[in-house]
């Protein structure tokens, strides 16, 4: 018998580490160098602002998911509150932005392996995809285990950085960059050394740093105890933001004056080198390698589940809804992996611009998805107040906070339009939404015609 339902095999420890892994990624380990150069020490404020906004998005998503046990992901929520067209656009947009993100990460895997082996970039990229595909095809528990260990590596690295930084601060030690002191936060041009403009332009990379936090919602259908595990994971997001992002950046900037950090290298590599760890570069290269593999793993998981849900809603090929004997959407995994592998071509065609374009498009699409969640929650509270009243996981300060966060997202898009580096990607992205709108209209007309043929009375001969 064909399998038709996803299996709930993600335990609490998987959900907790998926949540951590979703909030620590390539955007922090690699992208923070560029963001620091734009904003200086005020980058901590940027991470805090976006982190708070994302937390309110997650609280809204959590309440919506737990209001209906039948929801598989937020695409179901979008259909329920905004209609099938919006579900179609949101679902395919989420698939698209994770595809773009995973493309960047699988290319990064090939680059990182060059540190140890002088082989063509595409070889380790393909090997990574094959290994992740094989493990994901077995059971969803394998995805949970992979993310558990990937996230653990990230956590240990940041814990080591913060621990070493605190020791250096207390002892007042010096490095080749100078004294380790909190005065480095304001003695090199102030907290806003590049003015308000630099501070605002850092928001794009910071938004990208938070992509993936909503994986808790995507994994809801495969979580063993969503009523307990999802609220627990979401409620811990603020502490993780303060510790892993703001805390790590605080230590980085106390050890390194922001003027000593290069946007072309990881500030984590620079910091570990300064504190006297001889194999620092190798250690951090391994960490960013696992971080890229983790992001690619998350991309394969999320895109396959989105295709599965779209197929179940007749918004994608019926083949994507088929599950293998392990209750995993194998066909969806295969096609997503195949598209992700095309990232090597993008890297070859525009090697200098590829990462910036991909991350900008990804950030824009994630803003769309997060915005849809907030709009759905506003409508949920307005049209179904009885569900909100009996909810055990009410989103706080709604609907006012939803509107404030939506305004923040709109402001970030305007900043991306003004910034020269992000403007081309922002102007390109609307073409994707126009394409989806047209495709939905064409498919709707085709379904109507098919239904008319099926329902037509047979002709009497």
């Amino acid at each position: 018998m064909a399998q038709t339902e996803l299996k709930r095999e993600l335990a609490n420890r998987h959900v907790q580490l998926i949540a951590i892994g979703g909030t620590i990624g390539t955007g922090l380990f690699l992208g923070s160098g560029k963001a620091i150069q734009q904003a200086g020490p005020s980058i901590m404020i940027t991470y805090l602002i976006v982190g708070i906004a994302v937390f309110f998005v997650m609280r809204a998503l959590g309440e919506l998911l737990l209001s209906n046990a039948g929801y598989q992901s937020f695409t179901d929520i979008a259909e329920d509150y905004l209609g099938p067209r919006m579900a179609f656009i949101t679902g395919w947009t989420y698939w698209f932005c994770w595809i773009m993100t995973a493309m960047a990460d699988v290319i990064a895997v090939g680059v990182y392996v060059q540190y140890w082996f002088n082989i063509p970039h595409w070889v380790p990229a393909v090997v990574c995809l094959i290994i992740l595909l094989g493990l994901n095809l077995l059971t969803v528990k394998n995805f949970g285990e992979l993310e558990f260990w990937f996230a653990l590596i990230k956590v240990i690295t940041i814990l080591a950085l913060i621990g070493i930084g605190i020791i250096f601060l207390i002892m007042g030690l010096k490095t080749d960059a100078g004294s380790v002191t909190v005065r480095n936060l304001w003695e090199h041009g102030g907290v806003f050394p590049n003015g308000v403009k630099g501070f605002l332009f850092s928001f794009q990379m910071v938004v990208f740093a938070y992509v993936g936090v909503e994986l808790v919602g995507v994994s809801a259908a495969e979580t063993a105890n969503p009523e307990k595990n999802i609220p627990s994971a979401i409620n811990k997001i603020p502490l993780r933001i303060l510790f892993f992002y703001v805390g790590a950046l605080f230590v980085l900037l106390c050890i390194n004056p922001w003027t000593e950090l290069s946007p072309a290298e990881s500030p984590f590599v620079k910091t570990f080198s300064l504190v006297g760890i001889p194999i620092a570069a190798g250690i951090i290269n391994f960490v960013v390698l696992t971080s890229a593999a983790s992001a690619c793993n998350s991309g394969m998981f999320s895109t396959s589940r989105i295709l599965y849900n779209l197929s179940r809603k007749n918004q994608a090929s019926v083949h994507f809804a088929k599950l293998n004997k392990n209750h995993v959407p194998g066909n969806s995994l295969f096609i997503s992996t195949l598209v992700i592998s095309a990232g090597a071509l993008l890297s070859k065609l525009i090697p200098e611009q590829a990462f910036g374009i991909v991350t900008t498009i990804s950030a824009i699409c994630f803003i769309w998805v997060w915005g849809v969640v907030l709009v759905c929650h506003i409508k949920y509270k307005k049209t179904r107040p009885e569900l909100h009243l009996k909810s055990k996981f009410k989103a706080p300060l709604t609907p006012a906070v939803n509107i404030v966060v939506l305004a923040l997202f709109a402001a970030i898009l305007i900043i991306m339009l003004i910034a020269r580096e992000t403007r081309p990607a922002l102007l390109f992205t609307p073409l994707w939404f126009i394409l989806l709108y047209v495709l939905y209209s064409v498919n709707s007309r085709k379904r109507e015609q098919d239904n008319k043929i099926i329902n037509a009375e047979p002709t009497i001969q």
Side-chain angles (χ1 to χ4, degrees):
M1 182 180 296
Q3 307 292 347
T4 58
E5 296 295 334
L6 297 173
K7 201 168 185 179
R8 294 186 180 273
E9 288 191 325
L10 294 180
N12 182 53
R13 70 184 181 91
H14 296 138
V15 176
Q16 296 294 335
L17 268 294
I18 287 172
I20 293 176
T23 50
I24 307 172
T26 310
L28 176 63
F29 285 122
L30 298 179
S32 59
K34 179 181 178 181
I36 289 170
Q37 282 301 304
Q38 290 175 317
S42 67
I43 191 64
M44 292 186 292
I45 302 174
T46 312
Y47 272 97
L48 190 60
I49 291 173
V50 178
I52 292 171
V54 169
F55 170 67
F56 284 118
V57 171
M58 290 304 300
R59 282 301 302 259
L61 178 58
E63 182 176 357
L64 288 168
L65 283 170
L66 297 178
S67 70
N68 186 333
Y71 288 150
Q72 299 283 320
S73 72
F74 45 72
T75 53
D76 296 328
I77 298 170
E79 180 171 7
D80 199 4
Y81 290 98
L82 302 177
R85 184 187 297 272
M86 187 61 70
F88 177 86
I89 293 174
T90 301
W92 279 105
T93 297
Y94 189 66
W95 178 84
F96 178 65
C97 58
W98 260 115
I99 285 290
M100 299 294 284
T101 304
M103 279 184 181
D105 287 303
V106 77
I107 293 167
V109 168
V111 174
Y112 297 146
V113 171
Q114 294 297 306
Y115 180 83
W116 297 289
F117 306 104
N118 185 22
I119 56 178
H121 290 189
W122 65 268
V123 174
V126 171
V127 170
C128 176
L129 281 174
I130 292 173
I131 293 173
L132 293 178
L133 174 63
L135 291 172
N136 275 277
L137 282 171
L138 296 176
T139 64
V140 68
K141 192 173 182 179
N142 283 334
F143 166 76
E145 287 295 331
L146 281 172
E147 284 305 293
F148 179 86
W149 292 107
F150 280 146
L152 203 57
I153 291 171
K154 301 176 191 179
V155 169
I156 291 172
T157 301
I158 294 180
L159 285 174
L161 171 71
I162 293 176
I164 292 170
I166 291 174
I167 291 172
F168 272 55
L169 273 172
I170 293 174
M171 297 181 67
L173 300 178
K174 292 185 177 181
T175 69
D176 292 340
S179 299
V180 178
T181 171
V182 293
R183 292 194 299 272
N184 284 331
L185 298 178
W186 59 80
E187 284 190 342
H188 302 274
V191 177
F192 296 86
N194 294 324
V196 175
K197 181 179 178 181
F199 170 69
L200 294 177
F201 283 3
S202 68
F203 272 84
Q204 177 269 326
M205 187 55 70
V206 173
V207 169
F208 177 73
Y210 281 107
V211 302
V213 67
E214 76 297 323
L215 273 179
V216 173
V218 176
S219 62
E222 296 166 273
T223 301
N225 188 356
E227 291 79 11
K228 176 183 177 182
N229 295 338
I230 290 177
S232 175
I234 291 174
N235 282 334
K236 291 174 182 175
I237 287 175
L239 289 177
R240 288 165 181 157
I241 289 169
L242 285 173
F243 188 79
F244 291 113
Y245 276 111
V246 180
L249 289 170
F250 173 81
V251 170
L252 281 172
L253 293 171
C254 286
I255 296 175
N256 301 275
W258 74 272
T259 52
E260 297 294 320
L261 297 174
S262 168
E265 66 176 333
S266 169
F268 285 79
V269 174
K270 173 79 171 178
T271 302
F272 273 89
S273 300
L274 284 174
V275 299
I277 300 177
I279 57 172
I283 293 172
I284 301 304
N285 195 72
F286 175 74
V287 170
V288 295
L289 172 62
T290 60
S291 178
S294 170
C296 185
N297 187 45
S298 298
M300 292 170 65
F301 173 85
S302 58
T303 52
S304 64
R305 269 54 179 185
I306 287 294
L307 282 182
Y308 167 81
N309 280 302
L310 288 170
S311 180
R312 297 260 303 209
K313 300 294 183 182
N314 296 318
Q315 295 177 341
S317 171
V318 294
H319 298 292
F320 296 143
K322 292 182 179 179
L323 304 182
N324 63 20
K325 63 181 180 180
N326 298 316
H327 297 260
V328 171
N331 291 341
S332 296
L333 263 172
F334 275 117
I335 193 64
S336 293
T337 304
L338 182 63
V339 178
I340 290 169
S341 66
L345 178 62
L346 184 66
S347 172
K348 183 177 181 179
L349 294 176
I350 46 173
E352 299 297 327
Q353 299 86 17
F355 186 76
I357 292 174
V358 164
T359 56
T360 302
I361 293 175
S362 178
I364 294 166
C365 292
F366 272 103
I367 286 175
W368 169 276
V369 172
W370 294 342
V372 167
V373 170
L374 293 172
V375 172
C376 286
H377 189 272
I378 291 172
K379 195 165 184 181
Y380 151 85
K381 191 171 180 181
K382 182 178 180 180
T383 60
R384 298 176 183 175
E386 71 283 356
L387 291 179
H388 178 70
L389 286 174
K390 68 179 183 180
S391 173
K392 296 180 180 179
F393 192 56
K394 293 183 178 67
L397 306 176
T398 58
V401 74
N402 296 29
I403 296 171
V404 171
V405 175
L406 285 170
L408 172 65
F409 289 159
I412 292 173
L413 292 176
I414 294 172
I415 293 169
M416 289 184 187
L417 181 62
I418 296 172
R420 184 177 59 190
E421 290 185 7
T422 55
R423 188 184 305 133
L426 181 65
L427 294 176
F428 163 80
T429 307
L431 297 177
W432 168 256
F433 292 101
I434 293 171
L435 174 64
L436 291 179
Y437 187 92
V438 172
L439 285 176
Y440 182 83
S441 299
V442 172
N443 289 335
S444 295
R445 285 196 295 268
K446 186 177 182 300
R447 285 196 299 269
E448 289 175 4
Q449 292 172 355
D450 292 342
N451 290 334
K452 287 179 182 179
I453 294 173
I454 293 172
N455 297 327
E457 295 182 1
T459 303
I460 300 174
Q461 299 294 337

